Amino acid sequence: MNPPFLDSNQGVSFDPIISSGLDMPNMEFMDAQQQLPQHELGFFDNLNMDDQMLQSEFDSWGSMGLENDPSMNFNFDKPPTTTPFTFDQPVPPLPLSPLSSGSTSNGGALDEEIPLQTLRILRHYAYFDIAHHTMPIVNQDRFTSELTKSALSPQVTSLSYAMASLGASLMDGYGPTKDRCYQLARKHFEVCEREEDGANLMSIEALQASILITYYELRGKGFARAWMSLGRAIRLAQMMGLDRMDADPGSNDMPKFQQTLPPAQTPLELEERRKAFWVLFIIDAYASVRSGTLVAIDQTKVTTALPSPHPIPEPNQSPMPSLDNAKALYGSNHLSSFTGLVLMVSLYRRCSIHVKLSLDSDSAGSGSVYSFWEHHYSIDKDVKACGDALIGSKDAQGLLEDEVALALSLNLSAIDICLHEAAIVKADKDGLPKALITECNSRCGEAGMRIAEGVSLSQQLVQPKKTVFRQMNIYCMWPVCMAMQVLDRQLSSVAGNSQLAHTVGILKLLVTGIEDLEDVSGHWVDSISHIVKRLEEMESPSIKPTEFKV
């Protein structure tokens, strides 16, 4: 995807390089009166440029606040209608400026110059229009207000670069910019960590920066680094008490070591804190999938209310329930896409713990009793109820209009596979009737087919929905691989050449799905390499990837 200001047909020459010795083309049109002021807001007022298109383009950016933006209120009954950036509208090159006035609040000089407009584009277009759909942890108006301060704190500087690095990772042609912004985000976060009093570290901006740094790393190659960053972010959130925000004031079940944030001054600040925690809750689950370990956050001890569907809870809105009482949201208009991700992840956590306890019980012998089937049917029932509430009666066209719901449907089907594969192992070990095993195999196959249909739909998404979906790649590659494993096992039992060709065609479709999601880490590609090799050995020109019609 090319950003709007890199359209080669317009003759634009702009190279968003970040360096301390910046040497940019087309700088001769600048004079001393065209230098940018020391902060972002209002800097276009000082430009003396004849290009009316440029002035008109950026005048339209005057207010990008989210509080009054209905596009950020995601409702499964009304698909999101973001205001997308355009892919064919050029923006001329702009002068460059440092990120801030040239110093941070701790007195340290910023030794890096940065294309200021590049940061604005990456934050406003790429971050708020794409990543914010599933990472709604930064309120745009409040963050913009922070940027007006004469000297930026290291945590705000780190957050600014973290947002830009994630935005750059979603746009083509920004490799050097992406890496440099990431390095600067870590650099300024580490400034917070090194301070003796920890005042800057114990701030919501530091936590937000830590979360975005972690998410950026999870989408890259270095999982070990990302896992360590995740542990740091989780500990920081727990020290702040963000997992117990709505606990009973008289509760004694609070950690002994706690450094709480200052009391929130507005409902907006409270909601930002809640959403920051719930994003960590989601990321923690997917890191456990990747690492093969249990989650770090114990959801049975979480008392923080579920996130509001609005950036600021409405005055007449009923308080959001806790995770334990989430079913109260089913069928209501308070069930946003982001809350749907939280509920889906909660079900995955229950399923993974269920499988672990079953294995532990089996290895401990007859002296250990775990009510496997009671928990199995309870989770199975809740997965279906959650799917009905989140996806409901959406048909294929409805899922094409709501890319977040499409990602949710893939993951709910993968949880279905996990649950019934564990049941197959348990039924076989305990010598239960073959009919039960056959039923569980059938459920796995049905879930695999639903995932294949979802992958086929994802390939029909149009911009910017396609980019939003791909941004969720760490959430979507796991279900695709789960479906491939199920259908690969079925190859040995299919009857007839036509059925074999059909199954192989579906597997080829899923391979293209993994390719579209761009597995930079290589982990998921490696996990299905044996299936890909078998498909190559069965290669036939007459067998094409299966297509599902909308």
Side-chain angles (χ1 to χ4, degrees), residues 239-272:
M239 280 194 295
M240 294 175 178
L242 298 191
D243 56 335
R244 313 290 181 91
M245 284 182 62
D246 301 291
D248 184 343
S251 173
N252 294 322
D253 189 26
M254 299 294 287
K256 294 181 179 179
F257 179 70
Q258 194 171 14
Q259 293 182 301
T260 56
L261 293 170
Q265 300 300 310
T266 65
L268 184 152
E269 292 181 35
L270 274 175
E271 193 57 33
E272 266 194 307

Side-chain angles (χ1 to χ4, degrees), residues 235-393:
R235 287 297 186 195
L236 185 57
Q238 289 174 333
M239 280 194 295
M240 294 175 178
L242 298 191
D243 56 335
R244 313 290 181 91
M245 284 182 62
D246 301 291
D248 184 343
S251 173
N252 294 322
D253 189 26
M254 299 294 287
K256 294 181 179 179
F257 179 70
Q258 194 171 14
Q259 293 182 301
T260 56
L261 293 170
Q265 300 300 310
T266 65
L268 184 152
E269 292 181 35
L270 274 175
E271 193 57 33
E272 266 194 307
R273 295 176 185 186
R274 286 193 181 95
K275 286 186 168 72
F277 169 74
W278 287 117
V279 164
L280 275 176
F281 182 84
I282 294 169
I283 295 176
D284 180 33
Y286 283 95
S288 81
V289 172
R290 176 73 167 76
S291 64
T293 62
L294 289 179
V295 292
I297 298 174
D298 184 353
Q299 74 177 43
T300 64
K301 296 181 179 180
V302 173
T303 61
T304 300
L306 290 168
S308 169
H310 312 289
I312 305 176
E314 296 179 344
N316 59 348
Q317 178 183 323
S318 302
M320 294 295 286
S322 66
L323 190 58
D324 289 341
N325 299 313
K327 291 180 182 179
L329 293 175
Y330 290 0
S332 77
N333 58 1
H334 295 321
L335 190 56
S336 67
S337 298
F338 180 59
T339 305
L341 288 174
V342 173
L343 300 185
M344 177 269 296
V345 163
S346 172
L347 286 169
Y348 162 75
R349 287 164 168 263
R350 285 178 58 193
C351 183
S352 64
I353 292 173
H354 164 67
V355 173
K356 171 87 166 46
L357 291 176
S358 172
L359 294 174
D360 290 348
S361 175
D362 289 344
S363 62
S366 58
S368 178
V369 178
Y370 175 69
S371 303
F372 178 92
W373 294 106
E374 178 183 345
H375 287 90
H376 170 85
Y377 288 114
S378 174
I379 297 172
D380 187 34
K381 177 182 176 182
D382 289 345
V383 169
K384 184 180 185 306
C386 185
D388 290 342
L390 296 175
I391 312 301
S393 59

Side-chain angles (χ1 to χ4, degrees), residues 475-525:
Y475 302 153
C476 297
M477 286 184 284
W478 170 62
V480 176
C481 289
M482 291 292 294
M484 289 190 69
Q485 292 168 8
V486 167
L487 295 174
D488 178 60
R489 288 195 295 269
Q490 292 185 354
L491 277 179
S492 59
S493 59
V494 295
N497 291 334
S498 61
Q499 183 63 33
L500 177 64
H502 178 66
T503 304
V504 169
I506 293 174
L507 283 169
K508 287 184 175 182
L509 167 68
L510 294 171
V511 171
T512 64
I514 287 290
E515 292 171 348
D516 287 345
L517 290 170
E518 298 178 357
D519 178 21
V520 176
S521 71
H523 170 78
W524 300 105
V525 171

